[in-house]
Amino acid sequence: MGLQPLEFSDCYLDSPWFRERIRAHEAELERTNKFIKELIKDGKNLIAATKSLSVAQRKFAHSLRDFKFEFIGDAVTDDERCIDASLREFSNFLKNLEEQREIMALSVTETLIKPLEKFRKEQLGAVKEEKKKFDKETEKNYSLIDKHLNLSAKKKDSHLQEADIQVEQNRQHFYELSLEYVCKLQEIQERKKFEFVEPMLSFFQGMFTFYHQGHELAKDFNHYKMELQINIQNTRNRFEGTRSEVEELMNKIRQNPKDHKRASQFTAEGYLYVQEKRPAPFGSSWVKHYCMYRKAAKKFNMIPFEHRSGGKLGDGEVFFLKECTKRHTDSIDRRFCFDIEAADRPGVSLTMQAFSEEERKQWLEALGGKEALSHSFNTAVIPRPEGSAQLDKLGFTIIRKCISAVETRGINDQGLYRVVGVSSKVQRLLSMLMDVKTCHEVDLENSADWEVKTITSALKQYLRSLPEPLMTYELHGDFIVPAKSGSPESRVNAIHFLVHKLPEKNKEMLDILVKHLTNVSNHSKQNLMTVANLGVVFGPTLMRPQEETVAALMDLKFQNIVVEILIENHEKIFRTPPDTTFPEPTCLSASPPNAPPRQSKRQGQRTKRPVAVYNLCLELEDGDNPNPSKEDTPTSSLDSLSSPSPVTAALPGPPGPDKNHLLADGGSFGDWASTIPGQTRSSMVQWLNPQSPTTTSSNPAVTPPSSGSSPFLFSPPATVVDKPPESVSSRKARAVYPCEAEHSSELSFEIGAIFEDVQTSREPGWLEGTLNGKRGLIPQNYVKLL
């Protein structure tokens, strides 16, 4: 049962039961007071904990923002780039969430703590003061009554009347105070229902607002989360494919390491112990060096290196070899030794020790000593053995039979091409298909003898058994380049161009296969084989590097991307000719393109002129020889200049008047230039490298590379004359890259900036425009005309 009401009439009776009811009300208010006091304390602790959580969350967000993934290789996929950026997205999400949490913490103070403190101080505190007065008056009233009743009746009437009046006045004052106190007790009991609960409602409204904001952030984050999950899944799939290839290469090297030595610019290299002679009392010591020798130049490099001291690298020495002599054990108390004499150090002889007799013989052969072996120190990479699979009439028949059977029987099978067949059955089917006598007798569409997974595995195995991958060794590096960088449109155009450089049979077979894979991907809801999954499966099947190395296998993910592009753009790539006049200025670099070079302020010719190359700018001094000799070529690119295998290209650095960019790209792409007529070649160069000017000064035209020169330079059209750049009528343009001005005449801007009154500038590759009332120069390849 709840509290009984306090009747005002009872104030005059002041019965024991009335006093019990007052004490019950007082006890309830005291309990309420203690509860509110504890609640305020807990609320302050909640605010402190919220602030501590916010600090911890912000620290966590800062840690996410500051971390950056390091990837193996010279480029990353779009998926990897999104994964790398995801940590900053997570950081921003937490930051936004903590901003809302701080708002909630402030609202707790304003909407809960302060109102409760005010209620406790002003209302409950006032009741306490009224109770003190009531208790004091009660004591005074009844003490006066006791004293009055003890007065003797023999007192004078006037004295007694005065005492009666005083007692009556005091009783009236007590009754009035009692009435007010009773009223206050009942008022506060009713008031606390809303004065106390209303702040709680505001508190929970603030909490709900915070959680609603979190929900809204989560909704905004959901689209990004879905895309990131796809990025992660694609990366995981590519990792699985790459890992199997890397493990296969590791096992090959483990079984026969000598046959898988990497091609090197050095004739011989490896560790040798070099004897360092000391004064007579101290004898000599043997120090381990990493030695490298070039036979053509007779140049010998050696660098001291000790693994046990944490891999400390010492100062290297370089000398030119005069002769090498084998040391026998009767002249030195160590095995596997030989002496070297330096041509540039007369009278100086170095004694070296190999790790084994076999290694000593290899060093002796490389250095021109005695007992040379018949094989080279750096064993050449053994080419893949040619199987019986060929791109002939039988090969096309096999592929068509397999594709027809898959599309007839298993186009909706889950994990199509990913689920492998039993090896023995796959080999038996391949044997029958590759035999002219039995090929036409094999019925794959109607026979239950061959499972779909056996057919798909046989198709993949046949393509892998070709002497050369379907997309050729020659163009392998060129296909990889656009997959590593650039906009999606530029990638498609570059791969479109490259596909039409394939041999006719390769292109025909690739067309048949990619058309089939497009059909497979169209049924991905049933077979779960998305374009990305098919890229993982067929990347290493259609493309292979000629030299198997870990570095080459790290590019496997980009092979997958090439296959994805082929599947997604099958009709455009195989049914239309390549567009070598791609209109929009784009660059295959993931970062903003380099600004075009500015003209010299002095009159006359520019100090530098650009030479068009595939996606790069190679700037040469006007007086430089475009065909450098090998002596002038940096050692890091000596072998790459004549090697047909793809090597890494050094992307151009920031724009500037003194920067010459070293180009070390694969030779196969540049070889196209020598087979393309001048006008077509110029258009191709302009498309692949739109930031390069299309005209040159009156200097002699750059001639195609000779046999000893770099194969990467494209020769311009046969007839080139000075002419002003194509005029741009006054119009608007939008920035597609941010730019920081390097000169007062240039404009700084962010992505999306809109330029007014854009016109052609006298500076080749630059435009003039107005931004925020200021007129200046704009790099032409940083904006898109509207």
Side-chain angles (χ1 to χ4, degrees):
M1 185 177 176
L3 296 172
Q4 292 186 9
L6 300 174
E7 295 293 344
F8 290 121
S9 58
D10 289 340
C11 293
Y12 293 90
L13 293 175
D14 201 8
S15 66
W17 299 275
F18 175 67
R19 287 285 174 163
E20 284 296 324
R21 289 196 291 271
I22 285 179
R23 280 195 291 271
H25 278 261
E26 289 173 345
E28 171 60 22
L29 289 180
E30 182 61 27
R31 189 176 68 88
T32 301
N33 183 48
K34 288 183 178 179
F35 172 70
I36 292 177
K37 184 178 179 180
E38 285 296 318
L39 193 64
I40 291 172
K41 181 181 176 182
D42 292 340
K44 290 180 177 179
N45 290 337
L46 176 62
I47 293 172
T50 300
K51 289 181 177 179
S52 297
L53 174 61
S54 183
V55 170
Q57 292 269 49
R58 285 182 180 277
K59 187 176 183 302
F60 183 69
H62 289 160
S63 299
L64 288 176
R65 183 195 63 195
D66 295 340
F67 182 78
K68 183 173 178 61
F69 286 103
E70 289 295 340
F71 297 93
I72 301 175
D74 60 349
V76 295
T77 64
D78 291 341
D79 293 316
E80 290 171 332
R81 196 174 292 110
C82 290
I83 288 173
D84 186 31
S86 66
L87 297 185
R88 289 181 288 282
E89 288 291 334
F90 296 151
S91 175
N92 291 334
F93 177 81
L94 286 176
K95 181 182 175 184
N96 293 334
L97 192 63
E98 291 318 302
E99 288 175 355
Q100 299 301 323
R101 195 189 302 278
E102 284 186 359
I103 294 174
M104 182 192 72
L106 289 173
S107 71
V108 171
T109 301
E110 297 296 327
T111 60
L112 179 66
I113 303 299
K114 288 184 177 181
L116 289 181
E117 286 180 335
K118 181 180 179 182
F119 175 73
R120 183 169 172 265
K121 180 179 179 180
E122 295 182 359
Q123 301 299 327
L124 295 179
V127 171
K128 280 188 176 183
E129 292 298 321
E130 291 291 330
K131 181 181 183 305
K132 288 179 183 178
K133 291 180 183 179
F134 178 72
D135 290 342
K136 184 177 179 180
E137 287 299 322
T138 299
E139 180 69 23
K140 180 180 177 181
N141 180 58
Y142 286 105
S143 296
L144 189 61
I145 289 174
D146 290 344
K147 183 178 178 181
H148 180 68
L149 294 177
N150 286 330
L151 286 176
S152 172
K154 297 178 179 179
K155 294 279 185 180
K156 294 181 179 181
D157 291 341
S158 62
H159 182 74
L160 292 174
Q161 288 177 0
E162 184 180 349
D164 290 342
I165 292 172
Q166 185 180 0
V167 169
E168 186 62 29
Q169 288 177 346
N170 190 72
R171 288 182 69 185
Q172 290 300 322
H173 179 69
F174 170 71
Y175 291 147
E176 289 178 6
L177 192 65
S178 179
L179 288 170
E180 291 178 0
Y181 182 54
V182 166
C183 181
K184 191 69 175 177
L185 281 175
Q186 296 190 113
E187 176 189 329
I188 199 69
Q189 293 291 0
E190 295 301 312
R191 181 184 287 272
K192 72 179 184 181
K193 295 176 183 177
F194 56 87
E195 292 269 7
F196 170 56
V197 175
E198 191 174 35
M200 296 300 301
L201 178 62
S202 299
F203 165 70
F204 278 97
Q205 181 61 37
M207 287 196 67
F208 294 149
T209 301
F210 167 70
Y211 288 121
H212 177 72
Q213 292 290 344
H215 175 69
E216 291 298 315
L217 285 174
K219 281 173 62 179
D220 295 340
F221 190 73
N222 190 57
H223 180 68
Y224 176 77
K225 180 189 72 174
M226 298 296 293
E227 289 186 346
L228 184 59
Q229 287 175 336
I230 295 173
N231 298 142
I232 293 172
Q233 187 59 46
N234 290 343
T235 303
R236 178 182 284 113
N237 293 342
R238 289 169 185 148
F239 161 76
E240 294 295 339
T242 304
R243 183 175 65 173
S244 61
E245 294 287 331
V246 170
E247 288 176 351
E248 181 182 346
L249 175 61
M250 180 182 67
N251 291 329
K252 287 180 182 179
I253 293 178
R254 179 186 289 136
Q255 293 170 5
N256 198 350
K258 295 179 183 178
D259 292 342
H260 289 83
K261 288 184 179 179
R262 291 186 62 193
S264 172
Q265 57 183 326
F266 300 104
T267 310
E269 60 180 320
Y271 284 101
L272 292 172
Y273 280 86
V274 181
Q275 184 184 33
E276 294 188 353
K277 297 178 181 179
R278 298 180 180 178
F282 302 101
S284 62
S285 64
W286 294 81
V287 180
K288 185 169 60 177
H289 288 65
Y290 192 79
C291 302
M292 299 157 285
Y293 176 66
R294 293 176 185 270
K295 191 169 185 178
K298 290 196 172 185
K299 190 176 182 181
F300 197 98
N301 298 52
M302 60 182 193
I303 303 171
F305 185 80
E306 180 51 63
H307 294 83
R308 289 172 295 183
S309 62
K312 185 177 180 182
L313 195 67
D315 297 328
E317 293 184 54
V318 181
F319 58 86
F320 290 92
L321 178 69
K322 181 179 179 183
E323 63 178 6
C324 171
T325 309
K326 177 181 176 181
R327 286 287 294 270
H328 295 281
T329 53
D330 56 356
S331 63
I332 189 170
D333 191 22
R334 277 183 175 249
R335 300 184 299 162
F336 322 135
C337 294
F338 57 92
D339 290 339
I340 285 180
E341 282 190 45
D344 49 345
R345 299 181 186 179
V348 177
S349 176
L350 296 176
T351 300
M352 300 187 175
Q353 183 182 24
F355 285 4
S356 65
E357 180 61 29
E358 183 180 1
E359 288 193 17
R360 177 169 70 170
K361 290 179 179 179
Q362 292 173 354
W363 275 104
L364 287 172
E365 179 207 8
L367 298 172
K370 297 180 180 180
E371 299 188 15
L373 297 178
S374 59
H375 61 273
S376 171
F377 187 92
N378 279 308
T379 308
V381 178
I382 297 178
R384 295 176 181 267
E386 294 194 8
S388 55
Q390 298 291 336
L391 287 179
D392 52 11
K393 184 177 180 181
L394 178 62
F396 278 87
T397 301
I398 293 171
I399 296 300
R400 286 192 174 102
K401 283 178 73 75
C402 291
I403 288 175
S404 177
V406 170
E407 295 192 346
T408 302
R409 297 173 51 193
I411 195 70
N412 293 323
D413 288 4
Q414 287 192 4
L416 187 66
Y417 284 107
R418 196 149 200 178
V419 178
V420 296
V422 179
S423 179
S424 57
K425 292 183 179 179
V426 173
Q427 292 299 329
R428 186 158 63 91
L429 175 59
L430 269 179
S431 299
M432 296 178 67
L433 289 173
M434 294 172 68
D435 188 340
V436 180
K437 299 177 182 178
T438 58
C439 177
H440 295 286
E441 298 175 3
V442 179
D443 185 3
L444 298 179
E445 294 188 23
N446 303 309
S447 174
D449 296 340
W450 306 107
E451 296 177 284
V452 173
K453 63 182 181 180
T454 304
I455 300 171
T456 56
S457 297
L459 184 148
K460 290 188 294 181
Q461 185 61 39
Y462 185 86
L463 292 173
R464 281 207 165 202
S465 300
L466 293 170
E468 186 179 34
L470 200 58
M471 297 174 73
T472 72
Y473 290 132
E474 181 184 4
L475 296 179
H476 176 86
D478 300 321
F479 275 111
I480 292 294
V481 169
K484 285 186 175 181
S485 55
S487 65
E489 188 175 0
S490 65
R491 293 178 186 177
V492 173
N493 280 278
I495 290 174
H496 187 186
F497 187 89
L498 291 166
V499 164
H500 286 262
K501 299 304 294 181
L502 289 170
E504 196 58 40
K505 285 187 176 181
N506 296 58
K507 188 175 73 172
E508 182 182 354
M509 177 71 81
L510 188 63
D511 181 12
I512 295 170
L513 182 64
V514 173
K515 181 181 179 181
H516 166 61
L517 297 181
T518 304
N519 189 24
V520 172
S521 68
N522 290 337
H523 293 77
S524 59
K525 287 186 178 180
Q526 293 78 31
N527 58 38
L528 306 182
M529 292 304 291
T530 62
V531 172
N533 288 339
L534 290 171
V536 171
V537 173
F538 280 90
T541 300
L542 301 179
M543 299 179 65
R544 288 195 307 274
Q546 193 159 12
E547 182 184 0
E548 285 187 305
T549 63
V550 174
L553 292 179
M554 287 299 105
D555 282 344
L556 190 61
K557 54 195 173 187
F558 298 109
Q559 298 175 195
N560 303 343
I561 291 174
V562 172
V563 175
E564 291 174 26
I565 292 172
L566 290 174
I567 296 172
E568 291 175 334
N569 302 275
H570 170 260
E571 285 298 319
K572 175 180 179 179
I573 291 175
F574 291 95
R575 300 293 177 265
T576 62
D579 181 12
T580 57
T581 58
F582 184 49
E584 184 176 345
T586 58
C587 179
L588 294 180
S589 168
S591 58
N594 287 333
R598 297 284 304 280
Q599 284 187 345
S600 171
K601 290 187 177 181
R602 62 181 175 84
Q603 296 297 321
Q605 298 174 345
R606 285 185 294 163
T607 57
K608 297 181 182 180
R609 57 185 174 84
V611 180
V613 298
Y614 175 47
N615 193 39
L616 299 173
C617 284
L618 179 63
E619 297 180 352
L620 300 174
E621 296 292 344
D622 282 339
D624 285 348
N625 180 8
N627 300 322
S629 63
K630 283 194 174 183
E631 287 73 20
D632 296 329
T633 308
T635 56
S636 60
S637 61
L638 265 173
D639 296 323
S640 65
L641 292 180
S642 57
S643 171
S645 61
V647 293
T648 306
L651 290 177
D658 299 320
K659 290 186 172 57
N660 293 326
H661 308 304
L662 172 64
L663 178 66
D665 200 358
S668 53
F669 193 95
D671 292 341
W672 300 346
S674 60
T675 63
I676 300 174
Q679 190 58 42
T680 305
R681 181 164 60 248
S682 176
S683 302
M684 178 186 71
V685 173
Q686 186 180 1
W687 163 61
L688 288 172
N689 190 30
Q691 66 264 38
S692 298
T694 56
T695 62
T696 68
S697 66
S698 58
N699 289 341
V702 179
T703 57
S706 59
S707 58
S709 65
S710 168
F712 316 117
L713 302 181
F714 290 139
S715 61
T719 56
V720 180
V721 294
D722 283 323
K723 63 178 181 179
E726 213 174 276
S727 67
V728 177
S729 58
S730 177
R731 57 192 297 189
K732 292 184 179 181
R734 182 177 66 250
V736 294
Y737 295 108
C739 181
E740 185 70 26
E742 295 182 354
H743 191 272
S744 59
S745 63
E746 300 171 8
L747 294 179
S748 296
F749 48 86
E750 298 295 329
I751 296 177
I754 302 296
F755 302 94
E756 303 285 344
D757 191 22
V758 178
Q759 297 179 353
T760 303
S761 168
R762 294 182 180 180
E763 294 277 4
W766 292 79
L767 300 173
E768 290 182 10
T770 303
L771 177 64
N772 299 328
K774 181 181 178 182
R775 189 158 186 83
L777 292 173
I778 312 163
Q780 186 171 353
N781 53 335
Y782 274 57
V783 299
K784 180 179 180 180
L785 294 174
L786 301 179

